[in-house]
């Protein structure tokens, strides 16, 4: 099976869907002729023409607002926000419009759009190229929120998202674009070509939304993670020797509660890891759900390892990013607790 | 306080615009420059926007002081169409009056009237073709009335009753009807303006022949989505008509706070190279003629047009508003463009196809029709009495398929 980077897998998903469905259109800043600042749309304009893949003015509200109008007409726009850090001008369109259109019109109009955006840190991106704003979207009724962690899932989840009848926020951990990253910034990164999850089938396939997957079977504690943190958790398990069960959530909304509850019920312990800031982050929702559904099985308090409650700094990148050492300490504390 | 002693200039001061008159003062519209009816030229629909920039600073008018249709924008409508237009405006006004009372009676929580602005949406609707899509604000119900959308359904929506087509989820007057080319209204201002452009782009992408119309008020032009819509419409030459209804007021804020008076609202389109027309919004004939021009331009793939309708919000902003707190009570009487219903009525009488008697008779008929519809709607319930949407409906339609967490919550709610 061919191995691809996450960038190639994402591009492949759009290629497959543009080929299959004339209503799929792709646009955003620099996505047309140039093929995107991360190359995710490279070649699509040449293949499908300027009216299927095109450059947009620098207006995030405009991009999402236009996409909603197109979707109301009957198209399936898959648009790009250059960095998740720049999605805020489009927040009104996402929250007040895309998320609510089906509900407020009683199904008269719908917004089957996908909003792709590179997210996450670990790249010396500083304050406005590193954020993880997923909790701002998981709090919004009517949205779906997806975060892939590898090329195979990225393609399958993106195809599912484009085919989905509801608006999907598709957060792409840019740190994982070219290879998995476990937080060991001092070691060379291995490319996806050396990793089995870089195996991406040709053609159409889907990874279902709302389904988590176990990345590592374990007995001692359950780790809930997504995006880059899946690899950090794997490294922490290896380095501490703790038999952690690592669940890659993949879709945050709707959430695969069943897989989570089944695992925590078995292990009796739970550590939640995400890059985003702690307070009111998605981890708080996960902790509340675990506490509610697994109360009588819990042997220790649910732990959260996350970014600090600060803006994402530049020079202090590795003091901020929750790396394997911090995650490993939380594993040990949770086992002792 | 900063030290200003070293500067060669005096201290700076902030400019905050004020309307010419406040409550207790004499209404004064002497600053509103109104050209004579018939005096503004009519360019071909394929005119180069560069060559018609003056139209953004004038006002296209057809009906003169004597109620005659004059000039190059006249002659678009037959007697029958004009009588129908008058009836639509009268119906909207009657509908408004009845719903205003219904709100005061506690049958609904909220209502917004169109008083004085009836010509804008009623005439525009008649210039569109089936399949075209409006992206209206909350003050364009004339688009529905003039398209014969059932009044009972509008009222059921207002009453949030068991026949409410939106299942009680939406605030009154936030209608939605795909079949009638009326996009779902949102409470968030200006959002629909850029969506209209996107819809029009989609029609062009699919090589369709349908066009879109975006709607916005003078106050909301200050929202960023207004600017996004203008740049997208212009960049992609989208088949869209970008309507700005300048009724002088955004709740209590006069249009100067949105920087009206600096050029015109229509002129905002000029910076994007779009043709921009200004029209007498209380002149049914002028509204129709300009709408037809802009719609034809869009349909011929010649691109977008910005149209500013100069009108006056004669009523309160909403049932929650009292305009006497911020503007003279008699200001609407002083409005130099008059009343759209009276002006069309006088024109039709002058044309010999209408009379005071017929008008009085039509008023009675329309009132009867509206009351009949109201009775029917009320038989399905009002906000606090009678039939209502089921609580189960509250959980439906958030997504196409209900996800597990909503199923759990519905169960928890016991519905």
């Amino acid at each position: 099976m061919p191995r691809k980077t996450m960038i190639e897998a994402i591009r492949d998903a759009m290629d497959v869907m543009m080929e299959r469905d004339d209503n799929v259109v792709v646009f955003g800043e620099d996505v047309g002729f140039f093929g995107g600042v991360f190359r995710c749309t490279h070649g699509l304009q040449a293949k499908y023409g300027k009216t299927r893949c095109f450059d947009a003015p620098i207006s995030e509200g405009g991009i999402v607002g236009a996409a909603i109008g197109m979707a109301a007409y009957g198209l399936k726009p898959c648009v790009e926000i250059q960095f998740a850090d720049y999605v805020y001008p489009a927040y009104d369109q996402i929250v007040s419009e895309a998320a609510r259109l089906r509900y407020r019109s009683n199904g008269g109009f719908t917004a089957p759009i996908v909003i792709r955006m590179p997210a996450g840190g670990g790249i010396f991106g500083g304050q406005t190229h590193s954020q993880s704003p997923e909790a701002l979207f998981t709090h919004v009724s009517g949205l779906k929120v997806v975060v892939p962690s590898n090329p195979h899932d990225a393609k399958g989840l993106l195809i599912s998202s484009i085919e989905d009848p509801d608006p999907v926020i598709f957060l792409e951990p840019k740190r994982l674009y070219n290879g998995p990253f476990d937080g060991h910034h001092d070691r060379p990164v291995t490319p996806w070509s050396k990793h089995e999850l870089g195996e991406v089938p040709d053609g159409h396939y889907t990874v279902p939304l709302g389904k988590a997957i176990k990345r590592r079977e374990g007995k001692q504690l359950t780790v809930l993670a997504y995006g880059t943190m899946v690899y950090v958790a794997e490294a922490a398990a290896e380095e501490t020797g703790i038999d952690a069960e690592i669940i890659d959530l993949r879709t945050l909304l709707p959430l695969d509660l069943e897989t989570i509850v089944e695992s925590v019920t078995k292990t009796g312990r739970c550590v939640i890891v995400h890059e985003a800031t702690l307070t009111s982050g998605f981890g708080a929702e996960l902790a509340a759900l675990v506490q509610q559904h697994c109360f009588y099985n819990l042997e220790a308090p649910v732990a959260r390892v996350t970014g600090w409650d600060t803006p994402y700094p530049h020079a202090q990148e590795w003091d901020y990013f929750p790396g394997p050492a911090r995650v490993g300490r939380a594993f040990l504390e949770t086992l002792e607790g | 306080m900063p030290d200003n002693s070293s500067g060669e200039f005096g201290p700076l001061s902030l400019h905050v615009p004020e309307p010419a008159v406040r409550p207790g003062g004499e209404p004064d519209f002497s600053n509103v420059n109104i050209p004579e009816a018939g005096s503004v030229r009519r360019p071909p629909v394929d005119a180069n926007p560069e060559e018609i920039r003056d139209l953004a600073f004038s006002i296209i008018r057809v009906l003169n002081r004597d109620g005659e249709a004059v000039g190059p924008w006249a002659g678009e409508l037959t007697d029958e169409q004009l009588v129908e237009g008058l009836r639509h405006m009268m119906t909207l006004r009657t509908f408004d009056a009845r719903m205003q009372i219904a709100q005061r009676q506690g049958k609904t929580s909220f209502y917004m009237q169109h008083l004085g602005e009836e010509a804008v949406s009623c005439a525009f609707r008649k210039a569109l073709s089936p399949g075209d899509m409006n992206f209206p604000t909350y003050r364009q119900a004339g688009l529905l009335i003039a398209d014969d959308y059932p009044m009972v359904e509008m009222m059921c929506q207002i009453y949030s009753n068991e026949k409410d087509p939106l299942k009680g989820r939406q605030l009154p007057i936030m209608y939605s009807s795909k079949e009638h080319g009326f996009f779902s209204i949102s409470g968030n201002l200006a959002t629909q303006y850029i969506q209209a452009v996107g819809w029009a782009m989609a029609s062009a992408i699919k090589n369709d022949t349908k066009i879109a119309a975006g709607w916005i008020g003078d106050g909301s032009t200050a929202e960023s989505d207004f600017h996004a819509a203008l740049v997208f419409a212009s960049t992609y030459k989208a088949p869209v008509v970008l309507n700005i209804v300048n009724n002088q007021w955004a709740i209590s804020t006069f249009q100067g706070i949105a920087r009206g008076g600096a050029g015109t609202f229509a002129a905002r389109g000029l910076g994007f190279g779009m043709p921009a027309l200004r029209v007498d919004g209380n002149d049914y004939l002028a509204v129709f003629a300009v709408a037809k021009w802009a719609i034809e331009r869009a349909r011929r793939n010649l691109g977008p047009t910005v149209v500013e309708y100069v009108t006056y919000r004669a009523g309160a902003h909403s049932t929650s508003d009292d305009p006497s707190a911020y503007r003279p009570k008699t200001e609407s009487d002083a409005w130099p463009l008059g009343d759209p219903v009276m002006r069309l009525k006088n024109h039709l009488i002058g044309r010999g196809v209408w009379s005071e008697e017929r008008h009085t008779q039509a008023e009675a008929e329309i009132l009867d029709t509206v009351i009949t519809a109201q009775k029917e709607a009320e038989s399905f319930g009002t906000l606090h009495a009678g039939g209502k949407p089921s609580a189960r409906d509250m959980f439906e339609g958030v997504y196409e398929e209900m996800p597990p967490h909503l199923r759990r919550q519905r169960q928890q709610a016991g519905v």
Side-chain angles (χ1 to χ4, degrees):
Chain A
M1 203 180 292
R3 289 198 176 177
K4 290 187 160 86
T5 66
M6 196 189 274
I7 290 167
E8 290 162 340
I10 285 164
R11 181 193 311 150
D12 194 14
M14 286 186 273
D15 191 357
V16 165
M17 287 311 297
M18 290 176 88
E19 181 84 51
R20 277 169 79 96
D21 185 349
D22 282 346
N23 289 326
V24 176
V25 292
V26 168
F27 64 99
E29 295 157 20
D30 302 296
V31 308
F33 181 82
F34 180 60
V37 295
F38 290 105
R39 319 307 298 147
C40 286
T41 55
H42 177 69
L44 295 179
Q45 186 178 79
K47 187 167 173 186
Y48 296 100
K50 281 204 299 184
T51 62
R52 299 280 308 281
C53 176
F54 53 90
D55 291 320
I58 303 174
S59 169
E60 289 77 15
I63 289 166
V64 175
I68 293 167
M70 289 179 190
Y73 175 92
L75 300 190
K76 301 213 67 163
C78 178
V79 301
E80 179 179 301
I81 301 294
Q82 201 159 76
F83 287 86
D85 314 65
Y86 301 132
V87 72
Y88 309 121
Y91 200 57
D92 189 31
Q93 287 287 345
I94 295 170
V95 176
S96 311
E97 302 294 319
R100 303 223 198 110
L101 187 54
R102 177 189 296 280
Y103 190 73
R104 75 173 195 231
S105 67
N106 191 26
F109 296 92
T110 59
I113 62 175
V114 179
I115 307 172
R116 294 178 39 243
M117 58 189 96
I123 56 149
F124 282 97
Q127 294 187 25
T128 57
H129 299 80
S130 307
Q131 295 167 36
S132 298
E134 61 270 16
L136 296 176
F137 300 111
T138 55
H139 191 54
V140 180
S141 310
L143 296 179
K144 295 184 178 179
V145 180
V146 177
V147 190
S149 69
N150 60 73
H152 174 273
D153 284 0
K155 179 176 171 184
L157 286 166
L158 184 52
I159 289 175
S160 289
S161 299
I162 294 171
E163 290 177 341
D164 196 89
D166 290 302
V168 180
I169 304 296
F170 197 86
L171 294 151
E172 299 166 4
K174 60 183 121 30
R175 179 70 239 204
L176 302 180
Y177 268 159
N178 290 303
F181 177 69
D182 61 10
H184 284 293
H185 50 93
D186 46 349
R187 298 178 193 164
V189 171
T190 46
W192 282 115
S193 59
K194 303 241 165 66
H195 197 287
E196 60 178 15
L197 287 170
E199 286 184 359
V200 176
D202 288 329
H204 180 277
Y205 71 93
T206 59
V207 171
L209 303 188
K211 291 278 174 238
I213 190 166
K214 273 180 204 167
R215 291 290 172 212
R216 184 185 190 285
E217 293 273 351
K219 293 193 176 64
Q220 287 182 287
L221 57 80
T222 298
V223 183
L224 304 181
Y226 48 91
T228 309
M229 287 300 132
V230 171
Y231 304 98
V232 175
E234 282 176 353
E238 200 174 310
E239 288 157 25
T240 55
I242 288 167
D243 189 20
E245 179 146 295
I246 299 173
I247 296 176
D248 178 353
L249 297 175
R250 301 197 292 197
T251 304
L252 307 189
L253 182 67
L255 185 68
D256 183 357
L257 186 62
E258 212 173 312
T259 298
I260 295 170
V261 171
E262 186 257 329
S263 175
V264 178
T265 302
K266 180 181 77 180
T267 63
R269 290 178 164 83
C270 180
V271 176
I272 295 158
V273 290
H274 60 58
E275 286 182 66
T277 51
L278 176 72
T279 302
S280 304
F282 189 63
E285 180 64 28
L286 291 171
L289 286 168
V290 167
Q291 173 287 133
Q292 184 193 346
H293 292 274
C294 311
F295 185 75
Y296 294 106
N297 299 93
L298 281 174
E299 308 279 345
V302 176
R304 286 184 284 164
V305 189
T306 71
W308 308 116
D309 281 340
T310 69
Y312 205 112
H314 185 246
Q316 303 90 337
E317 176 84 80
W318 305 117
D319 299 304
Y320 179 93
F321 184 91
R326 262 172 72 196
V327 174
R329 274 201 301 280
F331 287 1
L332 291 166
E333 283 164 17
T334 301
L335 278 186
E336 287 160 10
Chain B
M1 292 292 286
D3 178 12
N4 194 48
S5 56
S6 61
E8 62 178 297
F9 306 111
L12 297 167
S13 64
L14 182 72
H15 172 68
V16 181
E18 270 292 321
V21 193
R22 285 297 191 184
E26 272 302 300
D28 179 13
F29 287 111
S30 56
N31 61 335
V32 182
N33 185 20
I34 312 241
E36 270 187 40
S39 65
V40 178
R41 70 200 167 102
R42 181 193 178 112
V45 292
D46 60 354
N48 179 353
E50 292 293 311
E51 285 155 18
I52 55 170
R53 292 170 68 92
D54 55 309
L55 294 189
F57 299 96
S58 193
I59 301 180
I60 294 164
R61 307 179 63 225
V62 171
L63 293 176
N64 68 14
R65 256 173 224 280
D66 299 324
E68 296 157 344
V70 295
W73 296 87
E76 292 282 333
L77 290 158
T78 66
D79 290 345
E80 291 72 28
Q81 287 171 319
L82 287 168
V83 168
E84 190 192 27
L86 179 64
R87 293 186 74 97
H88 287 149
M89 290 198 288
M90 292 168 72
T91 304
L92 179 56
R93 188 166 290 188
T94 308
F95 182 93
D96 273 350
R98 295 296 303 183
M99 291 298 100
Q100 176 87 4
I101 293 167
Q103 191 276 338
R104 296 299 189 228
Q105 292 170 332
K107 291 174 180 170
T108 183
S109 62
F110 183 73
Y111 192 70
M112 296 177 107
Q113 296 195 83
H114 305 73
L115 195 62
E117 301 177 38
E118 293 89 346
V120 177
S121 52
C122 288
F124 191 89
R125 174 70 252 185
K126 299 310 285 184
L128 289 170
S129 300
D132 294 339
M133 185 62 72
N134 285 288
F135 286 73
T137 76
Y138 46 66
R139 224 186 294 277
Q140 274 89 44
L143 296 170
L144 291 172
I145 297 275
D147 200 50
D148 298 322
Y149 182 81
M151 236 186 291
V152 176
E153 274 195 42
M154 293 172 77
M155 290 169 172
C156 287
Q157 197 281 325
I158 290 164
Y159 289 141
S160 296
N161 64 19
E162 67 189 25
K163 295 265 174 138
D164 175 0
L166 306 182
K167 305 279 186 192
R169 295 176 192 149
Q170 266 283 43
L171 201 65
I173 71 156
M174 307 266 178
Y175 315 106
S176 174
S177 173
K178 192 172 202 168
E179 299 69 33
H180 289 267
F182 192 95
F183 184 73
S184 158
I185 294 179
S186 168
N188 295 67
L189 298 176
T191 49
Q192 76 289 341
Y193 217 51
I194 174 67
Q195 292 163 5
V197 177
W199 196 98
M201 289 169 69
S203 183
I205 287 167
K206 300 305 281 184
N207 306 124
D208 201 343
T209 58
K210 300 187 190 94
I211 67 111
W215 293 87
I216 204 164
D218 47 288
S220 300
T221 60
E223 292 278 8
S224 54
D225 283 337
F226 172 75
H227 300 267
L230 262 57
V231 67
F232 274 69
S234 177
T235 298
Y236 302 109
K237 277 185 110 178
V240 63
V241 182
L242 293 169
N243 295 313
I244 304 167
V245 183
N246 176 8
N247 68 12
Q248 317 300 319
W249 289 96
I251 308 185
S252 73
T253 318
F254 91 114
Q255 43 99 12
I257 292 288
R259 203 53 182 120
T264 62
F265 289 105
R268 310 283 198 261
L270 299 182
F272 292 93
M274 288 187 278
L277 277 57
R278 239 170 144 238
V279 56
D280 178 348
N282 292 10
D283 180 340
Y284 186 95
L285 287 80
V287 170
F288 180 85
V290 167
K292 199 168 164 238
W293 189 95
I295 289 164
E296 186 181 336
R297 186 175 168 91
R299 189 114 44 218
R300 287 191 186 186
N301 208 33
L302 297 166
T305 303
V306 176
V307 181
E308 176 185 348
Y309 303 86
V310 183
T311 183
Y312 183 84
R313 195 197 78 209
H317 167 70
S318 73
T319 48
S320 310
D321 176 49
D322 172 16
S324 71
Y326 50 80
R327 69 184 191 191
K329 275 186 177 159
T330 53
E331 196 176 84
S332 69
D333 301 333
W335 175 242
L337 295 175
D339 175 84
V341 174
M342 294 303 292
R343 285 175 67 193
L344 182 54
K345 174 192 161 191
N346 291 339
H347 172 63
L348 289 174
I349 290 174
R351 251 169 119 124
V353 296
W354 199 245
S355 65
E356 290 292 351
E357 294 71 36
R358 284 189 68 179
H359 195 81
T360 309
Q361 195 187 344
E363 275 178 336
E365 279 168 19
I366 287 166
L367 182 60
D368 192 51
T369 308
V370 174
I371 289 174
T372 304
Q374 193 178 358
K375 280 186 180 149
E376 188 183 341
E378 289 180 10
S379 76
F380 306 122
T382 58
L383 181 60
H384 300 296
K388 59 171 83 169
S390 92
R392 277 179 78 85
D393 279 328
M394 179 169 70
F395 294 96
E396 299 284 345
V398 182
Y399 301 90
E400 184 174 89
E401 272 184 52
M402 191 177 292
H405 69 285
L406 275 178
R407 279 205 302 276
R408 285 196 300 274
Q409 288 172 30
R410 188 179 65 185
Q411 203 171 14
Q412 204 180 351
V415 291

